[in-house]
Amino acid sequence: MNTSTLFVSQFDPSQAVIDEICPAGEPWTHLIKHGQTFRIVDLEGNQAVDTLFYNAHDAQERYSATDTVSRQNKLYLTSGSKLYSNSGNVMLTITADTCGRHDTLGGACAAESNTVRYALEKLPMHSCRDNFLHALAHDPLCQQLGMGKRDLPSNINFFMNVPVTPDGGLEFADGVSAPGKYVEMRAAMDVLVLISNCPQLNNPCNAYNPTPIRLLIWD
């Protein structure tokens, strides 16, 4: 990990216009307006935060892992990284990061992937895909945009450590985060953020113990 990418924010939590806790394993959605700054805090350490972003006025434009990786020639996100949409537009820029490495490749856990990776009896376990689908079906912001399961692209995994092996595989490894670490980004357009605070219990991405996160927004 390149520690030169670590950058501490000057924003004061007491001045935030939104300051909420998302419980372990739960979804969270919110509108982030153009120019606002959004922070995700890993309260207890090693909690994976699966995150999607959409144009708040047209959900057909959404975060694109392909554009984000290819335009910057980097697999991992940190301070200075830009999050691109499938239309090639910058959606957000990471302006502060005290963790230093965030995954673009690991995707979201699902009932199907849990059975393939781990065991058939894992099928009923709660997953990030379940969280995303629940929010798309029930959240008013998602309903206003007419969103459904077709609107689930590949997501960012903030705080999650997914090294690429020499033969091109992926490993779900112990996290590199710690209690109180955060990532912060400034919105370049009005965006809808959709989070699954990952409930995964089968690999070390959450230290086998999902924990809550803190979410803040500043004007």
Side-chain angles (χ1 to χ4, degrees):
M1 182 176 66
N2 182 359
T3 55
S4 65
T5 60
L6 301 183
F7 190 84
V8 177
S9 171
Q10 300 303 309
F11 280 96
D12 180 353
S14 69
Q15 302 299 312
V17 295
I18 297 295
D19 186 352
E20 298 180 2
I21 300 294
C22 179
E26 294 297 313
W28 188 85
T29 60
H30 213 282
L31 173 66
I32 306 170
K33 296 180 182 177
H34 182 196
Q36 286 186 321
T37 294
F38 174 52
R39 180 188 293 180
I40 306 172
V41 185
D42 186 2
L43 287 174
E44 299 184 30
N46 284 1
Q47 174 61 26
V49 182
D50 293 41
T51 307
L52 291 166
F53 295 102
Y54 301 86
N55 182 326
H57 307 288
D58 178 8
Q60 293 301 304
E61 182 175 15
R62 71 283 301 266
Y63 166 77
S64 167
T66 302
D67 287 89
T68 298
V69 170
S70 64
R71 285 173 175 264
Q72 297 168 106
N73 292 315
K74 292 181 179 179
L75 287 179
Y76 305 109
L77 304 175
T78 186
S79 300
S81 297
K82 298 181 186 301
L83 310 183
Y84 283 89
S85 76
N86 56 344
S87 296
N89 298 314
V90 176
M91 304 188 78
L92 306 99
T93 299
I94 297 179
T95 52
D97 181 17
T98 60
C99 175
R101 178 171 168 142
H102 307 274
D103 169 61
T104 61
L105 299 178
C109 59
E112 296 82 2
S113 63
N114 282 338
T115 61
V116 171
R117 288 173 178 160
Y118 308 111
L120 289 176
E121 59 265 27
K122 306 295 185 180
L123 181 67
M125 294 185 73
H126 190 53
S127 69
C128 284
R129 183 171 172 82
D130 292 336
N131 276 339
F132 287 148
L133 291 174
H134 185 274
L136 291 175
H138 299 285
D139 182 81
L141 292 173
C142 296
Q143 290 177 338
Q144 289 173 18
L145 290 168
M147 298 169 71
K149 64 181 180 181
R150 68 183 183 281
D151 296 303
L152 289 183
S154 296
N155 57 282
I156 300 169
N157 292 306
F158 286 112
F159 308 111
M160 190 166 162
N161 183 23
V162 185
V164 178
T165 65
D167 61 358
L170 299 178
E171 291 183 351
F172 293 87
D174 289 334
V176 294
S177 185
K181 298 288 187 181
Y182 60 81
V183 60
E184 195 171 277
M185 58 212 84
R186 185 176 59 249
M189 62 172 70
D190 293 345
V191 295
L192 168 66
V193 57
L194 171 54
I195 282 175
S196 169
N197 190 25
C198 185
Q200 181 61 261
L201 294 169
N202 300 293
N203 69 51
C205 72
N206 293 335
Y208 303 102
N209 177 39
T211 53
I213 55 173
R214 185 182 182 187
L215 302 145
L216 303 98
I217 298 175
W218 289 266
D219 282 335

